[in-house]
Amino acid sequence: MEKFTKLTGVAAPMPIVNVDTDMIIPKDYLKTIKRTGLGTGLFAEMRYNDDGSENPDFVLNKPAYRKAQILVAGDNFGCGSSREHAPWALLDFGIRCVISTSFADIFYNNCFKNGVLPITVSPEDLEKLMDDASRGSNATLSIDLEAKEIRGPDGGVVKFDLDDFKRHCMLNGLDDIGLTMEKAGAIASFEKRNAEQRPWA
């Protein structure tokens, strides 16, 4: 998993509450277990018209936000089903961070396992960041995970809290497999000792 330390990128505003995982990646795109290629289906029902053409009114289709790396979203982002394809689709599109006042628990935890940083802020701070994200090509935010800060285009700073363990995992690029591999030496020693003590096993 790619480490997340600092990120400076365009932030796209999505002031929609209760964005569920079916909106993030519709069920039609769930026929794969690969983590790549899902970016084309991200928010598909809002991004595309019935004939398959792009909806020019959808934020990620607007020229200023086509390469957005940060999403500033409404309350209760990621609710609905537990599909892990949702953070896969965000990451494949290029979104590395989602900022909201609240997240659904399963989606929130899935983000950390896939290198997407979900940041929870107060409603007042979300309003400021949503305003920053509404500036089109000037909608750049800087995320500093070490300092737990979001810096806006005018230099304003929003502080955020994050569990120390989750922060450690993101800073070091550790998913569940990575955490296990940190113990590779101890695992190998156990296996060797076990083989010597129980050669019949």
Side-chain angles (χ1 to χ4, degrees), residues 21-39:
T21 51
D22 194 49
M23 291 171 69
I24 297 171
I25 183 73
K27 61 183 181 299
D28 301 351
Y29 294 88
L30 304 185
K31 298 169 185 173
T32 179
I33 55 171
K34 294 181 180 178
R35 300 185 186 200
T36 56
L38 290 169

Side-chain angles (χ1 to χ4, degrees), residues 125 128-129 148-152 154-159:
D125 285 336
K128 292 176 200 168
L129 294 168
K148 294 188 284 190
E149 290 181 349
I150 306 167
R151 193 171 295 275
D154 294 332
V157 176
V158 170
K159 290 282 210 178

